[in-house]
Amino acid sequence: MTIDVLAFATSPRRHGNSETLLDWVLAAMEEEGAAVEKIVVAEADIRPCRGCNLCEALNRCVQRDYMDYVHDRIVAADCIILASPIYCMGLAAQAKALVDRAQVFRSRKYVLRLPVVPPERKGKRMGIFLSTAGQNWDYVFDAAIPSVKCFFHVVDIGNKDLRYLMVNGVDEKGAIARHPTAKDDAESLAREVVAHLREVGAA
């Protein structure tokens, strides 16, 4: 089976540390036979959530922008990857806008009581959070994790099916290339996720 991977590069800075980490993961996944799509959120027409709650009645967002496509791809993908740098101890604004627009799925699940994915696909999808931070503090990623878990939860990817690769102490552009383990860790993670998805998909 071909694994369908949907990846979001959310940094406002192209080809920085978090996107490089993402590209290493995607390249390794392609080597394993996965089909990958990378969306650069900063270059897409993804507007902030309006907080209007109309998705609770419409089962879709009232805004017509690139999220029309993204919402469908999130449902279809076997693996969703969110890559974000840490800015001011949290997700980058572009990542947070994407997370907030997943409100559609929250409304679908908990207000309209409709499925996000067919029952036979539950537990057969995975999510990955990739992140980089300039600071060396061991707690620098802590504030971002609840938003990340919320995003994956509302699209029906539970905690047990999440994987994380977070690299701190990489500040200036290109710093991650000098990190002693980041590339190897990214490639190992990619192979592990593709293998797991193949295993659960065949079950």
Side-chain angles (χ1 to χ4, degrees):
M1 63 175 288
T2 299
I3 305 300
D4 179 8
V5 179
L6 176 65
F8 296 101
T10 69
S11 175
R13 179 175 68 175
R14 288 305 316 274
H15 310 298
N17 294 314
S18 66
E19 189 174 354
T20 298
L21 192 63
L22 173 62
D23 288 342
W24 288 337
V25 170
L26 294 181
M29 286 182 153
E30 285 187 305
E31 288 179 3
E32 296 297 317
V36 308
E37 177 182 7
K38 181 172 78 170
I39 294 174
V40 179
V41 174
E43 297 179 357
D45 179 22
I46 296 177
R47 302 166 204 163
C49 176
R50 294 180 180 177
C52 65
N53 288 330
L54 284 172
C55 55
E56 294 184 355
L58 299 175
N59 191 25
R60 64 171 176 81
C61 184
V62 71
Q63 301 187 74
R64 301 275 67 77
D65 61 5
Y66 195 63
M67 282 300 295
D68 285 341
Y69 172 77
V70 170
H71 282 135
D72 290 344
R73 285 294 290 120
I74 285 173
V75 172
D78 299 306
C79 179
I80 299 168
I81 307 176
L82 178 65
S84 174
I86 297 298
Y87 286 172
C88 300
M89 304 302 293
L91 295 175
Q94 291 78 7
K96 190 58 167 62
L98 175 70
V99 169
D100 289 350
R101 290 292 297 279
Q103 179 80 352
V104 167
F105 299 112
R106 196 278 314 178
S107 297
R108 188 173 299 175
K109 285 180 73 169
Y110 297 112
V111 178
L112 299 173
R113 304 293 181 183
L114 296 171
V116 172
V117 297
E120 63 272 16
R121 294 189 65 216
K122 285 198 171 187
K124 296 187 176 182
R125 305 201 304 154
M126 294 188 73
I128 300 174
F129 177 55
L130 305 174
S131 191
T132 55
Q135 297 87 352
N136 277 308
W137 309 324
D138 57 3
Y139 56 86
V140 71
F141 301 103
D142 290 0
I145 297 301
S147 290
V148 170
K149 287 184 175 180
C150 179
F151 171 73
F152 284 113
H153 177 75
V154 297
V155 301
D156 272 349
I157 298 176
N159 289 343
K160 72 178 180 63
D161 296 316
L162 294 183
R163 302 292 184 270
Y164 301 87
L165 179 53
M166 300 174 289
V167 182
N168 59 1
V170 288
D171 195 7
E172 71 278 5
K173 188 174 182 178
I176 196 158
R178 299 187 293 276
H179 190 278
T181 65
K183 187 174 184 182
D184 288 344
D185 292 342
E187 292 171 347
S188 295
L189 174 63
R191 289 190 290 268
E192 184 253 316
V193 167
V194 171
H196 179 78
L197 286 169
R198 287 218 169 95
E199 182 181 344
V200 298

